[in-house]
Amino acid sequence: MGKKKSVVLMILLTIVIAVLCAITIFPTFSLPGTVKIWNPAVMQYDFGAEFNGGYYAYYYPQGVITETEYNATLQSKTGDDLDEYKASYKQHGGLYVSTDEDDGICDANGELSADYKASFAKVVEAITDRYAQKGYSDYNVSVVDDYAILIELPASEIYAGTVLSTFVNTGDITFQIGGSVIEGLDGKDVKISDYIDDFSVTTQYGVSYLEIDLTAKGEELIDGVKDTLSTVDAASGSSDSATGMTLMVGESQIGYAIYKDYIDGDTILIPEAEDTDKVAVETYAILLNSVLENGAFEISFKAFDANTVRSYPSVYGENARLLLFIAVGVTLLALIVLPIVRRGRYGVANAYVILSYLIVTGLCFAFISGGVFEITLGSVLTFLAGLIAVSVFNERFYQAIKAEFNLGKTVESAMKTGYKKCLFGTIDVYALLTLGALAFLIGAAGLHTMALQALICFITGAFCSLLWTFAINFVFLSASKNKYKYFRFVREDDDDE
Amino acid sequence: MNKTTKLQKLIGKPLILAIVTAVIILAGVIVAAFAGFNLSSTLESSNQLTVTMDSYTFSSKLEDIQATCEKQFESSGVDYNYSKQSEMNGYEAELVYVFAADVDLTAVKTALSTALTGVESVTVTKVDATGGIPTSYVVRAVVAGAVFCVLAFAYIAIRHKLSAALAVVLSMVAGAGLTFAVCALTRIPVTYSVTYSVFFAMIVTTVATMFHFFKIFAKSKTEDGKAMTAEQLTNSSLAVKEILIFAVTTAVALVLLGAIAQANVRWFAITALVALVCGIVSSLVIAPAAYIVFKTKSDKKAAERARYDYKKTKKDSVEPAKN
């Protein structure tokens, strides 16, 4: 490549990398003359609970109240009412449980029922499984004083209220028209799994649908009521007289009403949300499949009040995120500066490669985020692993080029031969790392997320090490006046001269 | 005796290495099975003291309330693991202090209920963390690790040789196992991130071991290399410098992370450092030792096959002559 072309290309590369770096990491500032704020890509990340805190809320079964609630009600009672109220509850840690046999928590003797505890454990397991299916990198389901449930979600879940209020349902699935369960599902020993195969989410023409796959028996049942339902047009025209069928879990309606048009043979497609907003639909599907699998539970929870959702900052300190950026930034700086100091102009080319790695992974993490994965400590580890791999292989290339140069080859020839000799070994390592990342996609929650991020880091690292390093060095070397000085090589013949 | 010679001597004792590694891993498994891991405070069961207040009190008097609480904790001789402040969507807010499950907070609760003014209530609840890290999470992590080993084995066996593939996989398993064992034995507080560290150990072992094999494969193609025994080939191709550069660079990054960050992020950095050390030890020592054993056996079998083929060829050439 000619010198002029190389110089132009170098300048263009520098400008592009500088601009992309700024987009990726330039600190937040207010745009002058406006109320808008510039945020770099790294500030767009969905951070896990470790760095960004999250939400938590409590589920209380019917018949269980908090000590605060108990004391507040107690203060309003007097005389016989006060004694009656005191007798109707039994303290258990920070909770008060109903002594009424009908609530099932206490037996006829007022003792805590072992059967209730066993049923409660099963409910906790089912609810934990629902949250596990949401794919959070970080979440927690704990039992509080044996009779309540504490749910913790990461701050990246912006629909925490919807998720919490949906997953609290433990009743059975029914279809209702006009407030009454449809014929065929209103018996005592009805098994809903005889009528419904599966719930899933599909998207068509920018709309997310809750899809209900019916069994043959279910298709027959729904066929029997289909003609009593209104069409969508009729429903949108005059909603008061329109007849829709509602999908219920216990006493809660799930999603929108079902009209005639939505039913097609053994499939019901209920439009629920726009494609970009399908979190609620996915949440419904998880709940419904959970009820289908586990059945209804005798224990029901109080209706969830979204106002009781608590939000909290990171328990690792308010500055956890900032400190993390500083730590990673210092590492990055060291990996850029050290090669420049030791290897001169080759180190400068190395710096461009490192920055390219930062840009690609930084932008991928930002734009593939948003409900797909969160940034956790595992993300930091994979980013560092990829970054160090790129640096180490750049150093390896340098050593190989130096070895070829010492055999008497020209600088350009040494560079080509050196890269060629290292090429397949580098491919082997990145192939193994990519296979590892693919294998760890089997992992759950945070490990699955880490594997996705590792895939991005290792593929980017492979691109940087296999192609980009060579390309940048080729351009820089072509623009260099003294090719020996570029690599800081000294030929013994030159010393004699 | 220089360090490389010491390393070569160590590599020459595969049986001792195998026994030591197996003992450490077994000890870790036994401790984990009976005593479990030392779970981080965010994952283990706890007693929580919750101070509930309205939003106005939260925004105007939080620091005073916190000071009163901490004074009371100090005078009662109790220490909390961490605290969190949270606001609700309505008009309430909470200040939660999380203590170890065996801390009795009855007296503290009574004292604080009297000392704190303007708060709605002070309650104490016991939170059972439903067993820490779920079994299904661990099982899936183990399955993922096993699949990684199988894929790595297949790739290296096809690309290079069976003996190299066996050595790499053995060192990956050793690296992951040692990480797990050291975390269990040293009682480092763990969270879900211990599985991140095990994955990291496998990555480090793979990368570092391949540095050895770059040299071994390159040398084995030369005339000198072809004439060498497995032991000679391996000992003359140890990529100690390259592996140590990789290790030091990574260690510096992790130390920086641990030094600057706080609390559990620091423990995570320590776990990752343990993974790095176990991975490097595994690649420096176990991988070459295993390779020597497998390559020697493979060379022996190849020599026997060559002898058999020679004898067969000789027999075939003699018999037609007789006929």
Side-chain angles (χ1 to χ4, degrees):
Chain A
M1 186 185 283
K3 206 170 246 179
K4 280 187 186 164
K5 249 192 219 172
S6 313
V7 170
V8 167
L9 212 49
M10 248 176 72
I11 293 170
L12 279 171
L13 261 171
T14 308
I15 292 170
V16 167
I17 285 179
V19 167
L20 290 174
C21 268
I23 291 171
T24 309
I25 58 173
F26 196 84
T28 306
F29 65 91
S30 300
L31 295 168
T34 70
V35 295
K36 293 182 182 173
I37 297 173
W38 159 264
N39 269 317
V42 295
M43 296 305 285
Q44 316 280 351
Y45 295 158
D46 287 332
F47 283 91
E50 295 150 334
F51 299 114
N52 210 22
Y55 303 100
Y56 68 96
Y58 295 92
Y59 287 165
Y60 297 104
Q62 299 290 353
V64 175
I65 58 175
T66 62
E67 189 178 332
T68 311
E69 212 178 315
Y70 175 82
N71 287 332
T73 311
L74 199 68
Q75 281 172 8
S76 65
K77 304 278 183 188
T78 53
D80 286 344
D81 284 346
L82 180 67
D83 293 334
E84 200 181 317
Y85 186 72
K86 278 184 181 175
S88 66
Y89 283 99
K90 181 180 171 131
Q91 187 175 15
H92 187 77
L95 300 173
Y96 280 80
V97 300
S98 167
T99 52
D100 186 349
E101 213 182 327
D102 291 338
D103 285 325
I105 304 173
C106 292
D107 57 24
N109 301 323
E111 298 300 322
L112 297 169
S113 161
D115 287 343
Y116 185 91
K117 266 196 172 174
S119 300
F120 189 75
K122 285 190 181 143
V123 171
V124 171
E125 207 180 303
I127 290 177
T128 307
D129 189 53
R130 291 172 188 176
Y131 282 99
Q133 287 184 58
K134 283 291 288 180
Y136 300 120
S137 63
D138 224 322
Y139 73 97
N140 223 353
V141 178
S142 315
V143 172
V144 179
D145 280 332
D146 300 328
Y147 293 106
I149 303 176
L150 167 63
I151 316 287
E152 290 170 283
L153 301 177
S156 58
E157 178 52 270
I158 55 176
Y159 298 103
T162 303
V163 175
L164 288 161
S165 58
T166 303
F167 285 169
V168 75
N169 292 295
T170 54
D172 207 351
I173 297 171
T174 54
F175 290 105
Q176 291 186 11
I177 299 176
S180 306
V181 178
I182 62 173
E183 207 180 317
L185 291 181
D186 51 1
K188 263 195 172 178
D189 298 318
V190 168
K191 266 182 78 183
I192 195 66
S193 52
D194 290 341
Y195 299 92
I196 300 175
D197 255 336
D198 182 52
F199 295 92
S200 57
V201 179
T202 55
T203 51
Q204 282 179 31
Y205 309 113
V207 178
S208 294
Y209 294 83
L210 178 65
E211 181 176 329
I212 307 173
D213 291 322
L214 303 165
T215 60
K217 209 171 166 187
E219 188 183 348
E220 201 185 312
L221 178 78
I222 298 299
D223 231 13
V225 298
K226 189 177 169 181
D227 290 330
T228 62
L229 302 176
S230 306
T231 61
V232 175
D233 290 338
S236 58
S238 68
S239 53
D240 285 346
S241 57
T243 309
M245 186 167 66
T246 50
L247 176 63
M248 309 288 288
V249 173
E251 302 296 316
S252 304
Q253 179 176 344
I254 301 299
Y256 293 117
I258 301 167
Y259 295 105
K260 197 191 262 185
D261 320 52
Y262 300 161
I263 302 168
D264 181 16
D266 63 351
T267 308
I268 304 176
L269 277 179
I270 315 167
E272 297 286 358
E274 285 182 13
D275 186 17
T276 50
D277 206 24
K278 62 178 182 180
V279 171
V281 195
E282 287 168 344
T283 308
Y284 295 153
I286 292 171
L287 167 73
L288 292 162
N289 283 321
S290 169
V291 177
L292 209 58
E293 188 186 327
N294 299 303
F297 292 99
E298 281 177 13
I299 297 174
S300 62
F301 290 84
K302 292 177 189 165
F304 185 77
D305 179 3
N307 285 331
T308 63
V309 176
R310 288 95 159 148
S311 63
Y312 66 95
S314 165
V315 296
Y316 297 164
E318 282 176 8
N319 297 323
R321 231 189 318 172
L322 175 65
L323 293 173
L324 172 74
F325 282 143
I326 291 172
V328 173
V330 170
T331 307
L332 208 59
L333 207 62
L335 288 173
I336 288 172
V337 166
L338 265 169
I340 293 175
V341 166
R342 290 186 69 210
R343 304 292 178 218
R345 280 159 230 189
Y346 180 80
V348 174
N350 176 69
Y352 275 64
V353 173
I354 298 282
L355 288 173
S356 304
Y357 173 86
L358 170 69
I359 288 163
V360 175
T361 50
L363 292 176
C364 282
F365 278 17
F367 295 113
I368 298 176
S369 185
V372 178
F373 58 63
E374 294 142 6
I375 304 300
T376 62
L377 288 169
S379 319
V380 176
L381 215 49
T382 52
F383 177 81
L384 286 175
L387 181 68
I388 290 165
V390 169
S391 298
V392 166
F393 280 113
N394 281 353
E395 176 63 19
R396 193 165 168 260
F397 287 142
Y398 180 86
Q399 297 296 338
I401 294 166
K402 193 175 180 183
E404 292 301 313
F405 179 78
N406 288 339
L407 291 175
K409 292 182 181 157
T410 61
V411 172
E412 290 91 343
S413 177
M415 193 170 105
K416 281 188 185 151
T417 321
Y419 271 115
K420 213 172 166 184
K421 284 194 171 175
C422 293
L423 184 67
F424 287 106
T426 311
I427 290 173
D428 280 341
V429 170
Y430 280 110
L432 286 167
L433 292 178
T434 308
L435 287 172
L438 287 169
F440 271 87
L441 287 174
I442 295 169
L447 200 56
H448 178 88
T449 305
M450 184 185 178
L452 277 170
Q453 291 156 347
L455 215 51
I456 293 170
C457 290
F458 297 149
I459 290 172
T460 308
F463 166 74
C464 288
S465 292
L466 294 169
L467 286 169
W468 200 229
T469 300
F470 185 84
I472 293 211
N473 275 295
F474 182 72
V475 169
F476 279 38
L477 189 65
S478 303
S480 180
K481 280 185 193 170
N482 188 330
K483 298 195 191 315
Y484 294 133
K485 270 192 177 166
Y486 181 85
F487 286 104
R488 285 192 181 169
F489 289 161
V490 175
R491 183 139 265 168
E492 283 172 5
D493 306 334
D494 298 342
D495 286 345
D496 293 341
E497 288 166 18
Chain B
M1 187 185 292
N2 67 29
K3 285 176 185 166
T4 311
T5 319
K6 278 186 191 169
L7 182 62
Q8 287 166 354
K9 279 204 153 191
L10 193 58
I11 288 166
K13 295 171 183 164
L15 188 61
I16 294 174
L17 285 173
I19 290 170
V20 169
T21 309
V23 163
I24 296 173
I25 293 175
L26 196 63
V29 168
I30 290 169
V31 166
F34 286 102
F37 280 95
N38 179 19
L39 292 174
S40 156
S41 53
T42 53
L43 271 188
E44 54 184 7
S45 298
S46 58
N47 275 343
Q48 293 188 7
L49 186 136
T50 306
V51 180
T52 311
M53 64 202 89
D54 59 52
S55 302
Y56 173 74
T57 311
F58 183 80
S59 53
S60 60
K61 295 182 187 170
L62 181 65
E63 279 179 20
D64 293 337
I65 293 171
Q66 282 175 313
T68 309
C69 289
E70 299 204 13
K71 202 172 162 185
Q72 189 56 50
F73 297 151
E74 211 182 308
S75 63
S76 304
V78 295
D79 209 10
Y80 61 94
N81 291 332
Y82 64 93
S83 68
K84 49 188 183 192
Q85 310 150 18
S86 53
E87 294 183 80
M88 294 184 230
N89 292 343
Y91 296 106
E92 286 191 325
E94 278 180 355
L95 177 56
V96 180
Y97 290 95
V98 180
F99 296 82
D102 57 358
V103 173
D104 185 2
L105 295 170
T106 321
V108 176
K109 177 193 165 186
T110 312
L112 274 177
S113 299
T114 319
L116 290 173
T117 52
V119 305
E120 262 180 49
S121 66
V122 178
T123 51
V124 169
T125 50
K126 180 166 157 284
V127 177
D128 277 322
T130 57
I133 302 174
T135 313
S136 60
Y137 183 88
V138 174
V139 165
R140 283 173 74 164
V142 169
V143 168
V147 170
F148 183 14
C149 290
V150 168
L151 290 174
F153 176 82
Y155 181 87
I156 298 171
I158 292 168
R159 271 279 291 142
H160 302 287
K161 294 210 158 101
L162 194 63
S163 40
L166 285 168
V168 169
V169 168
L170 199 66
S171 69
M172 280 165 70
V173 170
L178 285 169
T179 306
F180 163 87
V182 170
C183 287
L185 290 167
T186 56
R187 316 304 289 160
I188 294 172
V190 296
T191 62
Y192 286 83
S193 59
V194 71
T195 50
Y196 305 161
S197 297
V198 170
F199 177 38
F200 184 62
M202 294 179 88
I203 291 173
V204 165
T205 315
T206 308
V207 173
T209 307
M210 289 307 288
F211 283 138
H212 279 317
F213 285 115
F214 291 154
K215 282 189 160 181
I216 290 173
F217 297 146
K219 198 152 205 174
S220 65
K221 287 176 186 162
T222 62
E223 287 305 318
D224 288 342
K226 283 176 187 170
M228 285 179 178
T229 63
E231 193 167 346
Q232 287 167 337
L233 183 65
T234 307
N235 284 337
S236 62
S237 309
L238 291 174
V240 177
K241 192 178 161 192
E242 291 88 335
I243 290 173
L244 287 178
I245 289 172
F246 175 64
V248 166
T249 318
T250 314
V252 166
L254 291 172
V255 164
L256 216 56
L257 188 67
I260 290 178
Q262 295 172 330
N264 282 25
V265 179
R266 193 166 290 159
W267 283 118
F268 166 74
I270 290 171
T271 316
L273 263 172
V274 166
L276 176 68
V277 168
C278 292
I280 294 301
V281 162
S282 189
S283 60
L284 268 179
V285 177
I286 294 172
Y291 181 69
I292 290 170
V293 169
F294 295 130
K295 183 84 172 54
T296 308
K297 280 194 175 146
S298 155
D299 287 347
K300 200 172 165 185
K301 268 192 182 156
E304 278 172 14
R305 201 167 38 244
R307 213 177 307 138
Y308 172 77
D309 287 344
Y310 173 73
K311 280 185 182 170
K312 192 168 180 295
T313 313
K314 202 175 168 188
K315 192 179 170 190
D316 289 345
S317 64
V318 164
E319 278 181 13
K322 275 187 184 171
N323 294 335

